[in-house]
Amino acid sequence: MVSGRHINLTPVVIDTYFKYKLMRIFHISDAHFGNERPAFAWHPLKNAFNDYRDVFAQDDTYFVVSGDITLKGNIDGYKQAQNFFKEVWLDNGGGRDRFIACPGNHDICDNKFDAFDTFVSEMRRDNLLNFEKSSTNFVDFEKVTFLSINSADHRDREYGFIDLAEMQRKLEIEKLTRSAKKQRIAVVHHNIFGIHKSDSSAIRNSLALVALLDEHKFNVILHGHQHSQTVVALGSNQIKLFAGRSLNFSSPGLINGLSELIYDNGSWNRISRVLSSDNSATQQLKFKYLET
């Protein structure tokens, strides 16, 4: 059921990608705004995204945040996030509708998701991604459909669990108007499988989740939570699972960055980029290509 595969893309190939208009997803996770000791200061981190200005403006580029916008339910973290993603995504040409997010366990504020919903609705200027009232939501485009899933809907911060009954009902309804030509992307916060020996936070009903997504022909699963990167293929449809590292959180032994997912010739490939500061006096931050 599970098979691993490493992807090696040379810098020459990466440069070639930017010359063509391809579907592209920038996967961000675990930013943890409201953290008093982030790995990097916010201003240089914002500037690191400026290199993507032309790409963000393309209508086939999507910005996906797979949870943990804030830290430990800190509502003030959403104010920072609002300003940050406005400057990073919207001010660099990204469309409001192409901003996709799901909540994480740190996004539970006063046992609710109202603060998260307000943050997303202000970014998107709609209510399609409302998780206080629903645990799964669709966002549909001409070439791709996103299913955003709340793996913390049960309000327990210690582990992931999916309301599969609600998801299945919505998938059966969505199937009536589904296009086989569209790519299908599931976005969830918690990891599908345990990462290390003491990891008890993975989604408890992950096998049933994968089976349901496989039945409904999903192509990709994106998640975060453990701040580490994984690439595996799942199910009969060989769903690509891409785990994302943290954007800006100090974790021993782990590095911060983002993932670029590029759809070309019927296949999704990931380019891993890590945050690195140069040796100048200003310590300018850049997203550097990391060969995996």
Side-chain angles (χ1 to χ4, degrees):
M1 179 179 178
V2 181
S3 62
R5 185 161 74 92
H6 291 287
I7 298 170
N8 293 286
L9 296 175
T10 67
V12 174
V13 173
I14 294 171
D15 291 340
T16 302
Y17 276 132
F18 283 91
K19 297 178 182 178
Y20 301 97
K21 191 172 179 296
L22 303 172
M23 191 187 308
R24 185 180 281 105
I25 296 172
F26 284 80
H27 180 203
I28 309 295
S29 196
D30 297 84
H32 291 296
F33 291 91
N35 179 14
E36 294 182 356
R37 295 182 179 180
F40 302 103
W42 293 116
H43 184 69
L45 182 58
K46 290 175 184 176
N47 289 341
F49 283 88
N50 291 338
D51 290 339
Y52 298 111
R53 184 177 290 112
D54 292 340
V55 184
F56 286 174
Q58 297 178 6
D59 57 12
D60 275 347
T61 297
Y62 304 88
F63 200 87
V64 174
V65 185
S66 57
D68 280 1
I69 304 296
T70 189
L71 180 69
K72 297 180 179 179
N74 181 1
I75 292 180
D76 290 338
Y78 290 109
K79 298 176 183 177
Q80 294 181 17
Q82 189 74 42
N83 293 329
F84 181 84
F85 288 121
K86 175 185 178 297
E87 293 186 35
V88 163
W89 176 246
L90 298 179
D91 291 354
N92 280 329
R96 291 186 180 276
D97 61 330
R98 292 183 280 115
F99 183 88
I100 311 294
C102 73
N105 54 309
H106 282 266
D107 294 314
I108 305 171
C109 300
D110 296 326
N111 209 39
K112 298 179 179 179
F113 292 97
D114 289 338
F116 176 88
D117 290 345
T118 298
F119 157 72
V120 177
S121 67
E122 288 179 357
M123 283 295 299
R124 293 180 49 83
R125 298 289 171 86
D126 63 28
N127 294 307
L128 290 180
L129 294 175
N130 186 302
F131 291 94
E132 184 60 28
K133 297 180 180 179
S134 176
S135 64
T136 57
N137 294 284
F138 286 97
V139 181
D140 196 42
F141 297 91
E142 181 182 357
K143 297 179 182 178
V144 61
T145 296
F146 289 93
L147 176 64
S148 189
I149 305 165
N150 186 359
S151 57
D153 181 65
H154 56 301
R155 268 66 168 178
D156 191 319
R157 291 182 173 87
E158 299 303 316
Y159 65 93
F161 190 82
I162 309 295
D163 185 345
L164 293 178
E166 179 187 336
M167 183 187 298
Q168 185 162 17
R169 287 195 300 270
K170 290 191 172 183
L171 284 168
E172 291 297 331
I173 295 171
E174 184 257 354
K175 184 168 65 174
L176 300 176
T177 57
R178 183 181 306 167
S179 170
K181 296 181 180 180
K182 291 185 181 182
Q183 288 294 293
R184 297 172 61 74
I185 315 293
V187 183
V188 65
H189 176 66
H190 286 86
N191 42 304
I192 305 297
F193 306 108
I195 303 298
H196 50 77
K197 183 179 180 180
S198 59
D199 181 10
S200 61
S201 64
I203 296 172
R204 297 289 173 86
N205 53 349
S206 61
L207 291 179
L209 169 66
V210 172
L212 186 59
L213 295 176
D214 194 36
E215 175 188 348
H216 287 272
K217 312 298 183 186
F218 275 79
N219 306 101
V220 173
I221 301 172
L222 303 178
H223 76 77
H225 187 59
Q226 281 292 357
H227 304 189
S228 60
Q229 294 213 313
T230 306
V231 181
V232 296
L234 305 170
S236 59
N237 291 306
Q238 293 291 281
I239 305 171
K240 285 285 190 66
L241 184 150
F242 296 108
R245 66 178 81 249
S246 170
L247 177 65
N248 195 26
F249 191 80
S250 295
S251 301
L254 299 176
I255 51 180
N256 294 277
L258 60 77
S259 298
E260 295 176 50
L261 307 177
I262 299 173
Y263 184 68
D264 187 28
N265 291 324
S267 178
W268 286 97
N269 288 315
R270 179 173 72 183
I271 299 172
S272 180
R273 294 193 183 272
V274 300
L275 279 163
S276 176
S277 58
D278 61 24
N279 294 322
S280 67
T282 59
Q283 292 286 288
Q284 187 176 10
L285 275 178
K286 290 286 186 180
F287 286 104
K288 299 292 186 179
Y289 164 70
L290 178 66
E291 186 173 357
T292 57

